[in-house]
Tab-separated table of all heavy atoms in Angstrom:
chain	number	residue	atom	x	y	z
A	209	ARG	N	36.933	16.825	64.388
A	209	ARG	CA	37.275	15.495	63.863
A	209	ARG	C	36.489	14.403	64.587
A	209	ARG	O	36.028	13.435	63.970
A	209	ARG	CB	38.776	15.232	64.014
A	209	ARG	CG	39.687	16.221	63.300
A	209	ARG	CD	39.573	16.142	61.793
A	209	ARG	NE	38.415	16.850	61.268
A	209	ARG	CZ	37.972	16.747	60.012
A	209	ARG	NH1	38.565	15.940	59.166
A	209	ARG	NH2	36.911	17.424	59.617
A	210	VAL	N	36.333	14.558	65.900
A	210	VAL	CA	35.553	13.585	66.676
A	210	VAL	C	34.112	13.556	66.193
A	210	VAL	O	33.532	12.484	65.967
A	210	VAL	CB	35.617	13.920	68.183
A	210	VAL	CG1	34.626	13.062	68.971
A	210	VAL	CG2	37.030	13.711	68.719
A	211	ALA	N	33.525	14.730	66.038
A	211	ALA	CA	32.121	14.807	65.616
A	211	ALA	C	31.934	14.209	64.222
A	211	ALA	O	30.956	13.486	63.973
A	211	ALA	CB	31.650	16.256	65.631
A	212	ARG	N	32.869	14.489	63.330
A	212	ARG	CA	32.739	13.959	61.967
A	212	ARG	C	32.848	12.435	61.970
A	212	ARG	O	32.068	11.744	61.307
A	212	ARG	CB	33.792	14.558	61.050
A	212	ARG	CG	33.689	14.036	59.605
A	212	ARG	CD	34.691	14.703	58.678
A	212	ARG	NE	34.606	14.125	57.353
A	212	ARG	CZ	33.753	14.507	56.408
A	212	ARG	NH1	32.898	15.494	56.644
A	212	ARG	NH2	33.746	13.913	55.219
A	213	LEU	N	33.809	11.904	62.712
A	213	LEU	CA	33.959	10.448	62.730
A	213	LEU	C	32.747	9.783	63.360
A	213	LEU	O	32.257	8.759	62.847
A	213	LEU	CB	35.235	10.052	63.480
A	213	LEU	CG	35.476	8.546	63.599
A	213	LEU	CD1	35.478	7.860	62.228
A	213	LEU	CD2	36.771	8.252	64.338
A	214	ARG	N	32.240	10.324	64.448
A	214	ARG	CA	31.046	9.739	65.073
A	214	ARG	C	29.874	9.719	64.083
A	214	ARG	O	29.148	8.719	63.996
A	214	ARG	CB	30.659	10.536	66.318
A	214	ARG	CG	31.536	10.282	67.530
A	214	ARG	CD	30.917	10.899	68.767
A	214	ARG	NE	31.757	10.763	69.941
A	214	ARG	CZ	31.840	9.672	70.695
A	214	ARG	NH1	31.135	8.600	70.375
A	214	ARG	NH2	32.629	9.640	71.760
A	215	ALA	N	29.694	10.811	63.361
A	215	ALA	CA	28.596	10.878	62.396
A	215	ALA	C	28.759	9.842	61.294
A	215	ALA	O	27.787	9.195	60.876
A	215	ALA	CB	28.520	12.277	61.802
A	216	ARG	N	29.981	9.652	60.829
A	216	ARG	CA	30.228	8.665	59.765
A	216	ARG	C	30.028	7.238	60.285
A	216	ARG	O	29.484	6.388	59.576
A	216	ARG	CB	31.641	8.836	59.216
A	216	ARG	CG	31.882	10.155	58.500
A	216	ARG	CD	31.242	10.169	57.108
A	216	ARG	NE	32.007	9.326	56.202
A	216	ARG	CZ	31.566	8.212	55.629
A	216	ARG	NH1	30.347	7.765	55.881
A	216	ARG	NH2	32.328	7.509	54.813
A	217	LEU	N	30.453	6.964	61.499
A	217	LEU	CA	30.232	5.635	62.083
A	217	LEU	C	28.744	5.359	62.241
A	217	LEU	O	28.267	4.245	61.946
A	217	LEU	CB	30.930	5.525	63.441
A	217	LEU	CG	32.464	5.525	63.430
A	217	LEU	CD1	32.999	5.605	64.858
A	217	LEU	CD2	33.015	4.289	62.728
A	218	ASP	N	28.006	6.357	62.699
A	218	ASP	CA	26.555	6.198	62.843
A	218	ASP	C	25.902	5.915	61.490
A	218	ASP	O	25.016	5.052	61.378
A	218	ASP	CB	25.939	7.460	63.454
A	218	ASP	CG	26.255	7.613	64.934
A	218	ASP	OD1	26.589	6.599	65.580
A	218	ASP	OD2	26.177	8.749	65.433
A	219	ALA	N	26.334	6.633	60.476
A	219	ALA	CA	25.738	6.471	59.145
A	219	ALA	C	25.965	5.069	58.598
A	219	ALA	O	25.113	4.534	57.872
A	219	ALA	CB	26.312	7.512	58.188
A	220	MET	N	27.095	4.465	58.968
A	220	MET	CA	27.418	3.131	58.457
A	220	MET	C	27.027	2.017	59.427
A	220	MET	O	27.284	0.844	59.155
A	220	MET	CB	28.921	3.048	58.154
A	220	MET	CG	29.401	4.058	57.118
A	220	MET	SD	28.424	4.027	55.578
A	220	MET	CE	28.801	2.377	54.988
A	221	GLY	N	26.439	2.366	60.551
A	221	GLY	CA	25.973	1.351	61.492
A	221	GLY	C	27.072	0.677	62.281
A	221	GLY	O	26.895	-0.462	62.742
A	222	ILE	N	28.196	1.352	62.470
A	222	ILE	CA	29.288	0.788	63.271
A	222	ILE	C	29.045	1.170	64.728
A	222	ILE	O	29.019	2.359	65.075
A	222	ILE	CB	30.662	1.338	62.818
A	222	ILE	CG1	30.881	1.101	61.316
A	222	ILE	CG2	31.775	0.712	63.641
A	222	ILE	CD1	30.942	-0.342	60.933
A	223	PRO	N	28.850	0.197	65.623
A	223	PRO	CA	28.505	0.524	67.016
A	223	PRO	C	29.687	1.116	67.772
A	223	PRO	O	30.801	0.611	67.731
A	223	PRO	CB	28.103	-0.831	67.610
A	223	PRO	CG	28.839	-1.833	66.788
A	223	PRO	CD	28.926	-1.262	65.405
A	224	HIS	N	29.432	2.206	68.457
A	224	HIS	CA	30.446	2.826	69.305
A	224	HIS	C	29.753	3.395	70.539
A	224	HIS	O	28.585	3.776	70.486
A	224	HIS	CB	31.204	3.924	68.562
A	224	HIS	CG	30.338	5.010	68.008
A	224	HIS	ND1	30.159	6.225	68.639
A	224	HIS	CD2	29.576	5.070	66.884
A	224	HIS	CE1	29.347	6.985	67.919
A	224	HIS	NE2	28.967	6.303	66.850
A	225	MET	N	30.485	3.416	71.639
A	225	MET	CA	29.900	3.883	72.890
A	225	MET	C	29.655	5.382	72.812
A	225	MET	O	30.539	6.153	72.420
A	225	MET	CB	30.815	3.557	74.066
A	225	MET	CG	30.976	2.073	74.313
A	225	MET	SD	31.911	1.712	75.830
A	225	MET	CE	30.644	2.019	77.064
A	226	GLN	N	28.460	5.792	73.198
A	226	GLN	CA	28.120	7.208	73.195
A	226	GLN	C	28.649	7.863	74.471
A	226	GLN	O	28.436	7.367	75.575
A	226	GLN	CB	26.600	7.383	73.109
A	226	GLN	CG	25.983	6.807	71.839
A	226	GLN	CD	26.459	7.521	70.582
A	226	GLN	OE1	26.742	8.714	70.596
A	226	GLN	NE2	26.553	6.785	69.480
A	227	ASN	N	29.355	8.948	74.307
A	227	ASN	CA	29.840	9.726	75.441
A	227	ASN	C	30.062	11.155	74.978
A	227	ASN	O	29.920	11.463	73.798
A	227	ASN	CB	31.122	9.108	76.032
A	227	ASN	CG	32.250	9.038	75.018
A	227	ASN	OD1	32.618	10.043	74.401
A	227	ASN	ND2	32.813	7.851	74.828
A	228	ASP	N	30.416	12.023	75.904
A	228	ASP	CA	30.613	13.439	75.593
A	228	ASP	C	32.080	13.821	75.516
A	228	ASP	O	32.427	15.003	75.569
A	228	ASP	CB	29.919	14.303	76.645
A	228	ASP	CG	28.409	14.140	76.621
A	228	ASP	OD1	27.850	14.011	75.522
A	228	ASP	OD2	27.798	14.129	77.711
A	229	SER	N	32.950	12.828	75.385
A	229	SER	CA	34.386	13.111	75.356
A	229	SER	C	34.955	12.874	73.961
A	229	SER	O	34.234	12.624	72.996
A	229	SER	CB	35.113	12.233	76.382
A	229	SER	OG	35.270	10.914	75.898
A	230	HIS	N	36.262	12.911	73.885
A	230	HIS	CA	36.998	12.745	72.628
A	230	HIS	C	37.354	11.289	72.339
A	230	HIS	O	37.990	11.014	71.319
A	230	HIS	CB	38.286	13.565	72.699
A	230	HIS	CG	39.158	13.191	73.862
A	230	HIS	ND1	38.876	13.592	75.157
A	230	HIS	CD2	40.271	12.450	73.951
A	230	HIS	CE1	39.795	13.114	75.978
A	230	HIS	NE2	40.656	12.412	75.276
A	231	ILE	N	36.967	10.382	73.213
A	231	ILE	CA	37.336	8.964	73.091
A	231	ILE	C	36.181	8.192	72.464
A	231	ILE	O	35.053	8.258	72.951
A	231	ILE	CB	37.706	8.390	74.474
A	231	ILE	CG1	38.950	9.110	75.019
A	231	ILE	CG2	37.925	6.886	74.402
A	231	ILE	CD1	39.203	8.886	76.493
A	232	ILE	N	36.473	7.454	71.392
A	232	ILE	CA	35.434	6.708	70.676
A	232	ILE	C	35.743	5.210	70.774
A	232	ILE	O	36.569	4.681	70.020
A	232	ILE	CB	35.354	7.129	69.195
A	232	ILE	CG1	35.139	8.638	69.083
A	232	ILE	CG2	34.249	6.369	68.477
A	232	ILE	CD1	35.105	9.153	67.653
A	233	PRO	N	35.099	4.490	71.693
A	233	PRO	CA	35.301	3.037	71.774
A	233	PRO	C	34.367	2.317	70.789
A	233	PRO	O	33.141	2.448	70.874
A	233	PRO	CB	34.927	2.702	73.224
A	233	PRO	CG	34.702	4.030	73.912
A	233	PRO	CD	34.316	4.989	72.834
A	234	VAL	N	34.965	1.589	69.869
A	234	VAL	CA	34.199	0.755	68.937
A	234	VAL	C	34.216	-0.660	69.495
A	234	VAL	O	35.265	-1.295	69.605
A	234	VAL	CB	34.800	0.802	67.522
A	234	VAL	CG1	34.119	-0.213	66.603
A	234	VAL	CG2	34.663	2.208	66.936
A	235	MET	N	33.043	-1.158	69.839
A	235	MET	CA	32.947	-2.384	70.612
A	235	MET	C	33.045	-3.630	69.719
A	235	MET	O	32.400	-3.712	68.680
A	235	MET	CB	31.638	-2.404	71.391
A	235	MET	CG	31.431	-1.167	72.265
A	235	MET	SD	32.811	-0.832	73.401
A	235	MET	CE	32.627	-2.215	74.528
A	236	ILE	N	33.859	-4.594	70.193
A	236	ILE	CA	34.021	-5.884	69.504
A	236	ILE	C	33.467	-7.010	70.365
A	236	ILE	O	32.683	-7.836	69.910
A	236	ILE	CB	35.502	-6.146	69.171
A	236	ILE	CG1	36.112	-4.957	68.413
A	236	ILE	CG2	35.627	-7.442	68.364
A	236	ILE	CD1	35.456	-4.629	67.106
A	237	GLY	N	33.887	-7.079	71.629
A	237	GLY	CA	33.316	-8.046	72.558
A	237	GLY	C	33.958	-9.409	72.557
A	237	GLY	O	33.465	-10.332	73.208
A	238	ASP	N	35.088	-9.543	71.850
A	238	ASP	CA	35.785	-10.835	71.803
A	238	ASP	C	37.274	-10.556	71.605
A	238	ASP	O	37.636	-9.841	70.670
A	238	ASP	CB	35.252	-11.693	70.665
A	238	ASP	CG	36.000	-13.010	70.545
A	238	ASP	OD1	35.614	-13.967	71.224
A	238	ASP	OD2	36.979	-13.068	69.772
A	239	PRO	N	38.157	-11.108	72.460
A	239	PRO	CA	39.578	-10.750	72.375
A	239	PRO	C	40.258	-11.226	71.099
A	239	PRO	O	41.072	-10.504	70.517
A	239	PRO	CB	40.189	-11.411	73.619
A	239	PRO	CG	39.245	-12.507	73.979
A	239	PRO	CD	37.883	-12.016	73.592
């Protein structure tokens, strides 16, 4: 599920921190 979601986010250009774990941080940068 992690791999599939990462691939879909990449395909749509949604920025997320690259790591080798199960945690996917999607960065916003503003509270």
